Amino acid sequence: IQVRMEEEDRIANRRKEEESKRIREDKHEEASKPNNNEKEEIDMKDNNDFTEHWVQAETEDGLVYYYHPITRATRWDKPDKQMQMKIEKRIRATKHEERKRHEERVRELEHSRKEVMVMESMRTEIDREIQRSISLWKKSLVKNDLAEMLSRLPGIIKLDLEEFTDSTALDASVLRNDSKRLKKLYRKVLMRVHPDKIRPTASLRQARLKTFVFTTLSAAAEGLF
């Protein structure tokens, strides 16, 4: 079972890498598409198409001033045409940058959404495979026989425990007759597979496997200690 699960783990990781690569390529292709409107947005049109935005107004005292309805800027004298064109060009450039940032954000959100969907799909598939392995692990056991579960656990998951290299320490009959030893081993295993102890670098399969083992052993030990 352990060998089969390791092979499945490698296959799942390879699928994840291939899907992530495909998503990155799609994102790069989308970002590299030429935008035919960029030059039109940034560059000013010729003078005949120029539109003045400065509006004349008066203060309560009757003083004439000018304000720009887009930038909300005000001044006493009306800018000449050259200055107005420079201001309009800055406005267009600012809008263009804002639009680019918005489009980039939309692409990032879409990319994240696709990654989440891929991860959810992989998680569902992995959970199904792990549940089959857990079922095979429990199938030949006496119901809630914690000692037998722990003795056969190395066939399901690899843990850095010295007991896992000592056949005597994992002898089910010995564990059944020594509650203190059984409790100690159970707690050590539980600390290794506790969801809060799973490292961020662990593969998705390894993380889910530990979670399933933790849940199964916890249920089997309920009321024993």
Side-chain angles (χ1 to χ4, degrees):
I1 295 175
Q2 180 68 38
V3 173
R4 188 183 70 183
M5 292 182 69
E6 289 177 354
E7 179 61 25
E8 291 173 348
D9 197 9
R10 286 193 292 271
I11 293 173
N13 286 335
R14 187 163 60 249
R15 288 178 181 173
K16 178 182 177 182
E17 292 174 359
E18 291 174 352
E19 186 62 25
S20 296
K21 181 180 178 181
R22 185 185 64 78
I23 292 175
R24 288 196 301 271
E25 289 174 348
D26 290 346
K27 182 180 178 183
H28 176 73
E29 181 180 352
E30 181 66 25
S32 61
K33 287 181 179 179
N35 188 341
N36 295 328
N37 296 325
E38 288 187 3
K39 192 174 187 302
E40 180 182 350
E41 289 290 337
I42 298 176
D43 293 339
M44 289 296 296
K45 298 179 180 179
D46 58 39
N47 294 343
N48 294 330
D49 295 331
F50 175 70
T51 302
E52 293 187 359
H53 286 104
W54 289 90
V55 179
Q56 180 177 318
E58 291 185 3
T59 66
E60 294 179 357
D61 299 330
L63 298 175
V64 176
Y65 70 95
Y66 298 88
Y67 77 93
H68 196 290
I70 297 177
T71 64
R72 302 297 181 183
T74 60
R75 53 189 297 160
W76 294 113
D77 57 323
K78 184 178 180 180
D80 59 33
K81 193 169 184 178
Q82 185 177 4
M83 177 60 69
Q84 290 187 50
M85 292 181 67
K86 288 181 179 179
I87 294 173
E88 295 304 319
K89 186 174 182 179
R90 285 199 299 269
I91 292 173
R92 288 171 183 256
T94 299
K95 287 184 176 180
H96 172 72
E97 288 302 319
E98 289 175 350
R99 190 187 66 194
K100 283 181 63 177
R101 286 195 295 268
H102 172 72
E103 291 174 349
E104 179 63 25
R105 180 59 180 161
V106 170
R107 284 194 294 267
E108 289 175 355
L109 290 174
E110 180 63 17
H111 174 68
S112 299
R113 186 185 68 83
K114 288 182 180 180
E115 285 194 327
V116 169
M117 291 176 62
V118 170
M119 291 299 293
E120 285 298 324
S121 175
M122 289 181 60
R123 177 172 172 168
T124 300
E125 182 181 349
I126 287 172
D127 283 358
R128 214 166 21 234
E129 294 171 355
I130 291 175
Q131 285 174 338
R132 285 198 296 267
S133 299
I134 295 292
S135 297
L136 290 174
W137 172 43
K138 296 170 58 179
K139 188 174 182 179
S140 60
L141 306 178
V142 177
K143 184 178 181 180
N144 288 340
D145 187 344
L146 184 61
E148 188 72 19
M149 283 184 172
L150 290 172
S151 70
R152 298 193 182 189
L153 190 58
I156 295 296
I157 189 172
K158 289 183 178 180
L159 296 175
D160 185 21
L161 290 172
E162 59 182 70
E163 287 86 350
F164 274 39
T165 60
D166 185 352
S167 58
T168 304
L170 288 177
D171 189 302
S173 58
V174 173
L175 292 173
R176 288 193 195 95
N177 296 321
D178 191 339
S179 60
K180 183 179 287 188
R181 172 180 271 182
L182 177 63
K183 182 178 181 179
K184 181 180 178 181
L185 179 58
Y186 166 74
R187 287 185 171 178
K188 289 177 72 173
V189 170
L190 221 62
M191 285 295 292
R192 292 293 197 283
V193 298
H194 195 288
D196 292 343
K197 301 293 183 180
I198 298 174
R199 297 178 179 178
T201 54
S203 67
L204 179 59
R205 173 176 292 280
Q206 191 70 7
R208 298 301 295 161
L209 177 59
K210 287 186 175 182
T211 300
F212 272 96
V213 170
F214 175 83
T215 303
T216 304
L217 289 178
S218 298
E222 188 175 356
L224 293 180
F225 308 119

